[in-house]
Amino acid sequence: MRDLLPRGDVDAAYAVQSAWVADRIEAGRRVVGRKIGLTNPAVRAQLGVDQPDFGVLLDDMICTADAPIDATRTLQPKIEAEIAFVLASDLDGGVTGPAEVAAATASIVAALEIVDSRIAGWDIDIVDTIADNASSGLFVLGDHPRELGDLDLAGVSMTLRRGGEVVSTGSGAACLGDPLAAVAWLAATARDHGRPLRAGDIVLSGALGPMVPVAPGDGFTAEISGLGEVSAAFAGGSS
């Protein structure tokens, strides 16, 4: 299938993504927000991709920290820690920068995204990942949302542990310089593709550190300074 799309044709890839989302909605799913992918240079280096992208979050992607995630829901999962935004108002204006994002934000919360790929070995380019809904899989939101206030998101630090072992570290500055700037990029890009951000949307703003492979039975906890912790556990059994 991947050879049917012209190499480097981002518009064609987003058209495939839109068709997939439309099928899911027709099947009864509901859009709850967006995710930004490939904001972190470490993640781009891991995958050999040179620009960010975005995907659509659906209601059946939401997981909770109090229930183990069934590994059979995924193909080749990886996990990354992020800051999630919940929007209080639309972001569809002609000029959208970090200040406009901050004004439109109801709350922020620590999050874990479980990314996944339908392409064997994660051997992807930018067209592949966009057409695959930006490698979206599942996500978990923390239990303690807070108002943005004067929190410096570029300055936050992140530590991700598998059990007691530190497996990834990073900062807000690794997310396109500032998670607010990442969401501003998303707002403009989504608007230009005719799918602007709306009030109530959850936005996963991008990885704060390198992504980590997930195996059945793993348990992860991410701590983000100023936002607290978020955890995810995976049930045993084959993925």
Side-chain angles (χ1 to χ4, degrees):
M1 281 294 295
R2 65 189 301 191
D3 295 330
L4 297 177
L5 297 179
R7 193 165 185 83
D9 192 336
V10 168
D11 289 338
Y14 278 117
V16 172
Q17 182 188 119
S18 294
W20 180 85
V21 171
D23 282 348
R24 299 292 291 149
I25 292 171
E26 186 175 351
R29 298 274 59 90
R30 178 173 56 88
V31 174
V32 297
R34 309 289 173 81
K35 59 82 51 97
I36 314 172
L38 306 167
T39 56
N40 189 301
V43 174
R44 291 199 295 272
Q46 283 178 300
L47 296 176
V49 176
D50 64 358
Q51 60 182 293
D53 66 354
F54 74 85
V56 178
L57 301 177
L58 302 173
D59 58 344
D60 62 344
M61 297 177 180
I62 301 171
C63 301
T64 60
D66 58 358
I69 297 169
D70 182 358
T72 63
R73 297 180 62 185
T74 62
L75 297 171
Q76 41 186 351
K78 299 176 186 287
I79 196 167
E80 52 193 35
E82 310 193 6
I83 296 172
F85 289 67
V86 180
L87 298 183
S89 56
D90 296 350
L91 275 172
D92 57 359
V95 177
T96 303
E100 287 75 19
V101 172
T105 298
S107 62
I108 54 174
V109 65
L112 289 167
E113 184 183 6
I114 298 94
V115 292
D116 205 355
S117 180
R118 293 178 176 86
I119 297 173
W122 281 87
D123 178 26
I124 62 173
D125 64 18
I126 190 65
V127 170
D128 298 323
T129 185
I130 291 172
D132 195 17
N133 196 29
S135 303
S136 299
L138 309 167
F139 67 94
V140 182
L141 300 180
D143 294 329
H144 302 290
R146 58 158 288 175
E147 293 183 357
L148 177 59
D150 59 358
L151 182 63
D152 174 18
L153 296 188
V156 303
S157 61
M158 179 280 296
T159 303
L160 177 64
R161 292 179 172 85
R162 180 196 289 118
E165 177 190 7
V166 175
V167 291
S168 181
T169 60
S171 69
C175 181
L176 285 187
D178 186 332
L180 285 167
V183 178
W185 173 88
L186 171 65
T189 307
R191 179 201 63 217
D192 291 347
H193 280 86
R195 295 183 280 168
L197 299 178
R198 297 302 186 192
D201 278 352
I202 300 166
V203 176
L204 300 181
S205 59
L208 303 181
M211 58 187 182
V212 177
V214 173
D218 281 347
F220 295 89
T221 298
E223 181 178 0
I224 301 175
S225 60
L227 288 177
E229 295 184 346
V230 57
S231 298
F234 293 81
S238 299
S239 174

